[in-house]
Amino acid sequence: MSARAGIVVTGTEVLTGRIADRNGPWLAERLLELGVELAHITICGDRPGDLAAQLRFLAAEGVDLIITSGGLGPTADDLTVATVAEFCGRELVLDPELEARIADIVARVMARFPNVDADAVRAANRKQALIPAGAHVLEPVGTAPGVVVPGTPTVVVLPGPPRELQPMWRAAVATPAVQQAIAGRTRYRQDTVRMFGLPESALAATLRDAEVQIAGFERLEITTCVRRGEVEMVTRYEPDSAAVYAELLTLVRQRHGGEIFSEDGTTVDEQVAALLAGRRVATAESCTGGLLAARLTEIPGSSGYVCGSVVAYANDAKTAVLDVDPALVAAHGAVSEPVVAAMADGALRRFSADTAVAISGVAGPGGGTPDKPVGTVCFCVRLAEGPTVVRTLRLPGDRADVRERSTTVALHLLREVLSRPS
């Protein structure tokens, strides 16, 4: 079995949901990269008893490494180091050199605040120079140092702000105590297959068959989830099980080859970004309110090809900005394939683009009709040189679901059109 680790995220603000935890997922990814098995992520408030309970729990689970985040500040509720020292059976001692370094950092910070009592601030920060005897000090990125306490398990104490925790983690991993704790790590491989237009239940049936048909299937750790209307299968395995994974992938291809769009982990966003290289794309959106344009511009490097977007809910706006013929709207309705095609044409002309995507639908709540209930969405992808796809779908879920799924469908249609041989 690989070396195992546990993470304790501290902070009442995280426990109560006022702040979303970013450190647990980030550390989980770093442990995976190292080949360390993550056993648990726990969250507790700023109460020493609760933190001590989490530390005891993880130690009882037999983990080799415990990582804590948060609770290293100068205030009275920042008690992580003291609690860890007690858990590890070590005395808290003052590190004079560390105290001097922290004082220098505080002095530079306080220079921007002339009305603050610098001596009082330095006194408050003095507690940050108290460390467990024999611990390795991780130099502060902000004002709070971290510590690595050797033992069984070894405990790594990191600050809460991600901008401080992340560089400090790299320093922690390099310490002899952490290297010894993770000496039994296993280098795992992880592969991701993404599918679109496939219900998760269909993939689940395939995996049940694979469990029976494929020798060594139990050596694969498989996670499936639905994300933005796509089905994602993540498989983690040791290198000597590569042949087992290859057999699984062959079965998935046989059953769902038409729905697989990525076997290397790339997202549809990344694939569309590559296909749009050298092109100019414009969007015309109604029910999605600009979400597609926003998603396109969030892709790294996308600023070079997104040339504009129109959000037009009212029919008058579709006519005034996108040149949609009012007679077309009157004859077919705003949510219709003829109108969404006209919106795409208008976007092409308005922005002198060579690629356009238009979306019009009934996202809800209310507003649907028996012919066009909530979730009815029309799409058009049009290229200036000719190829066009127009499609109407019924998408499940509430308003937020319909809007988000619509952007995913639009990207897949864009990918489909751009992937066609010229």
Side-chain angles (χ1 to χ4, degrees), residues 356-403:
V357 185
I359 308 172
S360 182
V362 185
T369 67
D371 292 336
K372 298 175 183 177
V374 172
T376 303
V377 185
C378 300
F379 303 86
C380 180
V381 176
R382 176 159 289 176
L383 305 186
E385 59 267 32
T388 300
V389 169
V390 181
R391 198 161 297 171
T392 300
L393 298 176
R394 284 279 306 281
L395 303 177
D398 59 17
R399 181 182 180 85
D401 292 329
V402 171
R403 285 158 58 94

